[in-house]
Amino acid sequence: MEEKKNIPYKIYLEESEMPTQWYNVRADMPTKPAPLLNPATMQPLKAEELEPIFCKELIKQELDNDTKFIDIPDEVLSFYKMYRPSPLVHAEFLEKALGTPAKIFYKFEGNNTSGSHKLNSAIAQVYYAKKQGLKGVTTETGAGQWGTALSMACQYFGLDCQVYMVKCSYEQKPFRREVMRTYGAKVTPSPSNTTEVGRKILAEHPGTTGSLGCAISEAVEAAVTQEGYRYELGSVLNQVLLHQTIIGLEVQKACKKYGIKPDILIGCTGGGSNLGGFATPFIGEMLRGEADYKIIAAEPASCPSFTKGKFAYDFCDTGRICPLAKMYTLGSQFIPSANHAGGLRFHGMSTILSQLYHDGVFECRAVEQTEVFKAAVTFARAEGILPAPESSHAIKIAIDEALKCKETGEEKTIIFNLSGTGYFDLVAYGKYNDGVMTDGIPTENELEQYFAQLPKAE
Amino acid sequence: MEEKKNIPYKIYLEESEMPTQWYNVRADMPTKPAPLLNPATMQPLKAEELEPIFCKELIKQELDNDTKFIDIPDEVLSFYKMYRPSPLVHAEFLEKALGTPAKIFYKFEGNNTSGSHKLNSAIAQVYYAKKQGLKGVTTETGAGQWGTALSMACQYFGLDCQVYMVKCSYEQKPFRREVMRTYGAKVTPSPSNTTEVGRKILAEHPGTTGSLGCAISEAVEAAVTQEGYRYELGSVLNQVLLHQTIIGLEVQKACKKYGIKPDILIGCTGGGSNLGGFATPFIGEMLRGEADYKIIAAEPASCPSFTKGKFAYDFCDTGRICPLAKMYTLGSQFIPSANHAGGLRFHGMSTILSQLYHDGVFECRAVEQTEVFKAAVTFARAEGILPAPESSHAIKIAIDEALKCKETGEEKTIIFNLSGTGYFDLVAYGKYNDGVMTDGIPTENELEQYFAQLPKAE
């Protein structure tokens, strides 16, 4: 492999080499993702029905199954410059620690204050809100990465940012809250007295510490009841996957520049923004018959949408007020057990990834949390970066694959997406260090109960 | 300024361009820093007197006033590759936010899990300990950045790492403790029952939450009483400044490569590792008559060693068991008031920087904490990086200088060292966001009381 000799430890593209368009994998999909349904009529949602909630340009992107490449606005490219291109790192210290002949690379998306890839879509969504002349945006946040990213983006474009943060996170994890406030966001513990739905929940459950489903409901209500506000979301949606393709497009360019030919590509999946952004540019090559890759989704065994879920229409929120999507789902009432990878707790999945998985384009493996943290610590000690629990699901699979190569002697090239850092996840690391971490895998019986509540949509 | 047109937002040197030697400014100093004194004899310390505490090779570096460049060992260069070269960033978003004609650049040392520049010296010190065949090293940590860096370095070279962490930090700031444990370090809250000095303090003050001075005493005792252990320190020492010159040497190379000619260089000062590492390569040019720069140390008004201290021999620790150094000092009994820039609370200062300051080579400005956080928030919002409180002292001065340029219309080039990130300092940011932060400036009377306790050494 002569051409690999000169690969640096970290590959940074030149600014002039940065992608200037996002890639829309739907244009290459033989079967398009199923449309969202209006929960009242059970009919496909039209653009105008979405306008009270989302920006017009983002609705266009959400519904566009045809345009293969979409220009990244100059203002967004300018912001990307602040933390992009992110490096593609040749994990030679990890290779050495594992004693594997495999070549391992990781794309590192954690080198920004939001701590993850979430900023890629936040800045795009806020740009379109600004362009539409809006005053501000609302959102919900659990662990806080998406809320932080949106706060940073709003601060940059001068828009108001209202974040509904699940109350128990607000109280127990004050650090991300302070980052958001530092970026000028108004952070409200949810449920709150500021919305009708919040007041109703507080009246019924005075001691509740909130849930993501409730925070979503409050954020949507706040968006539709305030003049000049819209709601923005950090995963699941087609528009989010589109914006996140900047990750995979940079990896493609870096591979081309240095003659790296990946055999295996790995990303974790919660709602799909991470794997979708990282892998769909490569999936496009597969769909067009230009290349073949083994693509692996890494999901938590505690919230196993792909490996244990049904491919069916379901509500996107616990409160059943949001549209229905055809996706791999554990049922909208599914509540995962205590699981520290806060970003991977969603019961459903991106409709794009769901269709691609259904069509057999990629595989998925569910991994247990204790094994994930074991892999995280191995990686942290070898490569010097403390990874996010979410990203560590991908690390676990990458290490498994590299150890298989050690057995077989194969020199496969493995690339995974290190989507974020674990600096705000040290309570979880502490539990692992103390040996008191659990896996929280749902039983078949539990899953059946949630499946029984799926809507009859088709 | 034609040559500045093609400067990218982030300048990354190629791996092949990385410095391979550290720079020892003492070789260029007309007046060498005064020697350390043995507290028992008040005579200059000899190498053999230091050997129970420090590694031999590090003692050689500590006492070497003559060798201008010292080779960086290959093993250290290999580790540096993991997080270096760090970028020199053209702060164009900050320039725009300030509306200044000044050109502002910052060297960003925070892109590693220790969160600061401390790793540069930690890996070197642990390398020499390993080379000497030692089993492990001991140290103390307050805020935790140095302890984290040493844990990472020890994990890399397979040495045992024992960290004495000030008890109140251990209890109130568990996150850095967990990072250290994740890297395999043994973290002990200080004072502890594991040392004689710890037991003595606990017997006298059963409820104490510890101090840095006490943790130093425990770490030194642990080093000298265990076979195969030595003590390592993250600032103040000549060896530390030497290792940290990798920062300034990279800046010099980046400036040369892109034709950037700095007018002003700024770094914060606590014990001196940051400014010393960043600025001494440039100070060397000044001492050799090759260039002229305005170099500014930024220190906290709550612990103003340079601007209010005496240039005199003093103990380096509160317990008065460590050697005496001739330095700018507020007195070894000085206790700064609550100040969130944990890395800038030392009562004394590097002997190298003290001599250079005494000789008028650079100036110093003391800045108040609330102003520092105001600058930190301005920077975070403009450039997308949440800065460490320590580094934000330099940001404050950089902004002041840039605003002066705005008044005069001068296009000065300002470079400062952004030595770390603030991800573990969000309690302090919270206090600032809530408007309850204070400055804690000592009065002249308080300072006089501490000065009265200075030893009579000369």
Side-chain angles (χ1 to χ4, degrees):
Chain A
M1 303 288 249
E2 198 61 41
E3 77 274 27
K4 286 189 185 171
K5 285 276 166 63
N6 294 320
I7 298 175
Y9 176 67
K10 285 184 193 171
I11 301 172
Y12 283 101
L13 296 176
E14 303 287 326
E15 277 169 21
S16 58
E17 295 170 317
M18 275 183 71
T20 56
Q21 296 182 308
W22 294 303
Y23 167 67
N24 180 6
V25 72
R26 285 166 285 169
D28 281 319
M29 287 170 71
T31 309
K32 309 297 179 195
L36 298 175
L37 300 186
N38 182 323
T41 64
M42 288 294 187
Q43 293 302 308
L45 272 167
K46 294 188 191 106
E48 54 269 31
E49 294 175 280
L50 289 165
E51 283 182 9
I53 302 175
F54 297 120
C55 304
K56 283 181 194 173
E57 193 66 29
L58 291 169
I59 295 169
K60 212 172 120 192
Q61 293 179 357
E62 191 64 28
L63 302 177
D64 185 343
N65 283 343
D66 306 306
T67 313
K68 197 177 286 192
F69 289 99
I70 294 176
D71 285 344
I72 307 174
D74 285 345
E75 292 83 348
V76 175
L77 284 175
S78 174
F79 185 88
Y80 277 172
K81 198 169 64 172
M82 214 187 272
Y83 68 103
R84 308 202 69 82
S86 67
L88 180 67
V89 186
H90 178 194
E92 51 186 81
F93 298 96
L94 179 62
E95 289 171 9
K96 202 176 148 195
L98 299 175
T100 177
K103 298 293 162 206
I104 310 174
F105 295 84
Y106 57 91
K107 180 71 168 168
F108 182 36
E109 289 289 312
N111 261 352
N112 70 75
T113 291
S114 84
S116 82
H117 66 299
K118 292 291 180 189
L119 207 45
N120 298 329
S121 184
I123 193 65
Q125 292 189 42
V126 174
Y127 166 76
Y128 292 116
K130 172 82 174 179
K131 202 180 159 200
Q132 194 173 318
L134 299 176
K135 284 186 206 159
V137 297
T138 72
T139 199
E140 79 291 329
T141 202
Q145 283 163 318
W146 168 248
T148 306
L150 201 67
S151 305
M152 293 174 73
C154 283
Q155 176 60 233
Y156 184 75
F157 281 121
L159 258 67
D160 186 35
C161 185
Q162 300 178 357
V163 182
Y164 288 86
M165 188 172 188
V166 179
K167 192 183 271 178
C168 65
S169 294
Y170 183 93
E171 286 167 358
Q172 289 171 19
K173 298 177 183 173
F175 287 2
R176 283 223 187 258
R177 178 187 82 206
E178 285 310 329
V179 183
M180 289 185 257
R181 290 180 69 207
T182 300
Y183 281 91
K186 187 177 154 202
V187 188
T188 305
S190 168
S192 75
N193 276 316
T194 66
T195 64
E196 200 169 309
V197 62
R199 286 188 292 273
K200 194 174 158 221
I201 291 167
L202 283 173
E204 288 168 10
H205 310 281
T208 181
T209 55
S211 72
L212 204 56
C214 165
I216 292 175
S217 303
E218 286 205 87
V220 171
E221 182 185 322
V224 299
T225 55
Q226 290 178 95
E227 183 70 30
Y229 281 75
R230 293 294 184 279
Y231 169 71
E232 302 202 325
L233 183 63
S235 192
V236 185
L237 298 175
N238 298 341
Q239 59 189 266
V240 177
L241 267 70
L242 175 75
H243 306 148
Q244 293 293 357
T245 58
I246 186 76
I247 304 171
L249 293 165
E250 282 184 11
V251 176
Q252 273 185 326
K253 282 211 172 187
C255 286
K256 212 162 282 178
K257 188 172 173 182
Y258 285 95
I260 301 163
K261 297 190 196 317
D263 298 299
I264 304 172
L265 296 152
I266 307 162
C268 65
T269 46
S273 73
N274 181 343
L275 184 74
F278 171 62
T280 58
F282 291 94
I283 288 175
E285 291 181 43
M286 293 168 74
L287 295 174
R288 297 190 301 270
E290 297 164 6
D292 197 26
Y293 305 105
K294 182 174 186 170
I295 293 174
I296 309 173
E299 71 176 12
S302 57
C303 191
S305 320
F306 276 133
T307 54
K308 299 274 186 180
K310 304 277 187 208
F311 186 46
Y313 264 108
D314 192 11
F315 291 95
C316 289
D317 64 325
T318 320
R320 299 183 175 190
I321 57 166
C322 289
L324 287 89
K326 190 171 178 193
M327 59 186 176
Y328 280 86
T329 177
L330 297 165
S332 64
Q333 305 308 301
F334 178 77
I335 298 166
S337 74
N339 178 326
H340 302 292
L344 307 181
R345 292 168 62 84
F346 186 57
H347 67 277
M349 183 53 62
S350 144
T351 59
I352 294 175
L353 290 188
S354 292
Q355 187 62 51
L356 289 167
Y357 183 68
H358 184 70
D359 292 343
V361 176
F362 63 89
E363 61 182 276
C364 179
R365 295 188 203 157
V367 285
E368 293 159 19
Q369 183 162 250
T370 47
E371 289 298 311
V372 164
F373 272 83
K374 191 177 161 195
V377 171
T378 300
F379 178 83
R381 290 179 173 193
E383 292 286 325
I385 297 171
L386 192 80
E390 291 87 349
S391 321
S392 302
H393 288 68
I395 296 174
K396 161 66 180 155
I397 304 286
I399 290 178
D400 285 351
E401 290 294 319
L403 291 177
K404 276 187 209 162
C405 289
K406 189 178 179 178
E407 278 179 31
T408 62
E410 287 174 290
E411 280 190 34
K412 286 186 181 167
T413 296
I414 301 165
I415 309 183
F416 67 89
N417 191 26
L418 184 67
S419 51
T421 51
Y423 304 146
F424 292 88
D425 299 289
L426 284 156
V427 173
Y429 273 96
K431 284 189 183 167
Y432 177 76
N433 291 335
D434 288 335
V436 297
M437 176 165 277
T438 54
D439 291 323
I441 301 170
T443 65
E444 297 293 328
N445 270 351
E446 283 167 345
L447 289 175
E448 283 307 322
Q449 290 170 23
Y450 293 118
F451 290 147
Q453 299 176 62
L454 282 175
K456 312 283 175 285
E458 279 182 301
Chain B
M1 304 286 253
E2 199 61 42
E3 77 277 27
K4 286 189 188 175
K5 285 277 166 62
N6 294 322
I7 297 174
Y9 176 66
K10 285 184 194 172
I11 301 173
Y12 283 100
L13 295 177
E14 303 287 327
E15 278 169 21
S16 58
E17 295 170 319
M18 275 183 69
T20 56
Q21 296 182 310
W22 294 304
Y23 167 68
N24 181 5
V25 71
R26 285 166 285 168
D28 282 319
M29 286 170 70
T31 309
K32 308 297 177 194
L36 298 176
L37 300 186
N38 182 324
T41 64
M42 288 295 190
Q43 294 301 309
L45 271 168
K46 292 186 193 111
E48 54 269 30
E49 293 176 281
L50 289 166
E51 284 182 9
I53 302 175
F54 297 119
C55 303
K56 283 180 193 173
E57 193 66 30
L58 291 169
I59 294 169
K60 214 173 120 191
Q61 292 179 358
E62 191 64 29
L63 302 177
D64 185 343
N65 282 344
D66 305 306
T67 313
K68 198 177 284 193
F69 288 98
I70 294 175
D71 285 344
I72 306 175
D74 285 345
E75 292 84 346
V76 175
L77 285 175
S78 174
F79 186 89
Y80 277 172
K81 198 170 66 170
M82 215 187 275
Y83 67 103
R84 310 202 67 82
S86 68
L88 179 67
V89 187
H90 179 194
E92 53 187 77
F93 298 96
L94 180 62
E95 289 171 8
K96 202 177 149 195
L98 299 175
T100 176
K103 298 292 164 207
I104 310 175
F105 294 84
Y106 59 91
K107 180 72 168 167
F108 181 37
E109 290 289 312
N111 261 351
N112 70 76
T113 291
S114 84
S116 82
H117 65 299
K118 292 290 181 188
L119 207 46
N120 298 330
S121 184
I123 193 65
Q125 293 189 41
V126 174
Y127 165 76
Y128 291 116
K130 171 84 175 177
K131 201 180 158 200
Q132 194 173 318
L134 299 176
K135 285 186 207 160
V137 298
T138 72
T139 199
E140 79 291 329
T141 202
Q145 284 162 317
W146 168 247
T148 305
L150 201 65
S151 305
M152 292 174 73
C154 283
Q155 175 59 233
Y156 184 74
F157 281 122
L159 259 67
D160 185 37
C161 185
Q162 300 178 358
V163 182
Y164 288 86
M165 188 171 188
V166 179
K167 192 183 272 177
C168 64
S169 293
Y170 182 93
E171 287 167 357
Q172 290 170 18
K173 298 176 184 175
F175 286 1
R176 283 221 188 260
R177 179 187 81 203
E178 287 308 330
V179 182
M180 289 185 258
R181 289 180 70 208
T182 299
Y183 280 91
K186 188 177 153 202
V187 188
T188 305
S190 168
S192 75
N193 277 316
T194 67
T195 64
E196 199 169 308
V197 62
R199 286 188 292 272
K200 192 175 161 221
I201 291 166
L202 283 172
E204 287 169 10
H205 310 280
T208 181
T209 56
S211 72
L212 206 56
C214 165
I216 292 175
S217 303
E218 286 205 88
V220 172
E221 182 185 323
V224 299
T225 55
Q226 288 177 96
E227 184 70 29
Y229 280 75
R230 292 294 183 280
Y231 169 72
E232 302 203 323
L233 184 64
S235 191
V236 184
L237 298 175
N238 297 342
Q239 58 188 266
V240 178
L241 267 71
L242 175 74
H243 306 149
Q244 293 294 356
T245 58
I246 187 75
I247 305 171
L249 293 166
E250 281 185 10
V251 176
Q252 273 185 327
K253 281 211 171 185
C255 286
K256 211 162 281 178
K257 187 172 173 180
Y258 285 95
I260 301 163
K261 298 192 195 315
D263 298 299
I264 303 172
L265 295 152
I266 307 163
C268 65
T269 46
S273 73
N274 181 343
L275 184 74
F278 171 63
T280 58
F282 291 95
I283 288 175
E285 291 181 43
M286 294 168 71
L287 294 174
R288 296 191 301 271
E290 297 165 4
D292 197 24
Y293 305 106
K294 180 174 187 170
I295 293 173
I296 309 173
E299 71 177 12
S302 57
C303 191
S305 321
F306 276 134
T307 54
K308 299 275 186 179
K310 303 279 186 207
F311 186 46
Y313 264 107
D314 192 12
F315 292 94
C316 289
D317 64 325
T318 321
R320 297 183 176 192
I321 58 167
C322 289
L324 286 87
K326 190 171 177 192
M327 57 187 177
Y328 280 86
T329 177
L330 297 165
S332 63
Q333 306 309 301
F334 177 78
I335 298 166
S337 73
N339 176 325
H340 302 290
L344 307 180
R345 292 169 61 86
F346 186 58
H347 67 276
M349 183 54 61
S350 146
T351 60
I352 294 175
L353 291 187
S354 291
Q355 187 62 49
L356 289 167
Y357 183 70
H358 185 72
D359 293 344
V361 176
F362 64 89
E363 62 181 275
C364 179
R365 295 187 203 158
V367 285
E368 293 159 18
Q369 183 162 250
T370 47
E371 290 298 311
V372 164
F373 271 82
K374 189 178 163 195
V377 171
T378 300
F379 178 82
R381 291 180 171 191
E383 291 285 325
I385 297 171
L386 191 80
E390 292 86 349
S391 321
S392 303
H393 289 69
I395 295 173
K396 161 68 179 154
I397 304 286
I399 291 177
D400 285 352
E401 290 295 319
L403 292 176
K404 275 186 210 164
C405 288
K406 189 177 179 177
E407 277 179 30
T408 62
E410 287 173 289
E411 280 191 35
K412 285 186 183 168
T413 296
I414 301 166
I415 309 184
F416 68 89
N417 192 25
L418 184 67
S419 51
T421 52
Y423 304 146
F424 293 88
D425 299 289
L426 284 155
V427 173
Y429 273 95
K431 283 190 181 166
Y432 177 77
N433 290 335
D434 288 335
V436 296
M437 177 165 274
T438 55
D439 291 324
I441 301 170
T443 65
E444 298 292 329
N445 271 349
E446 283 167 343
L447 289 175
E448 283 306 323
Q449 288 169 26
Y450 294 117
F451 291 147
Q453 299 175 63
L454 281 175
K456 312 282 175 283
E458 282 181 302

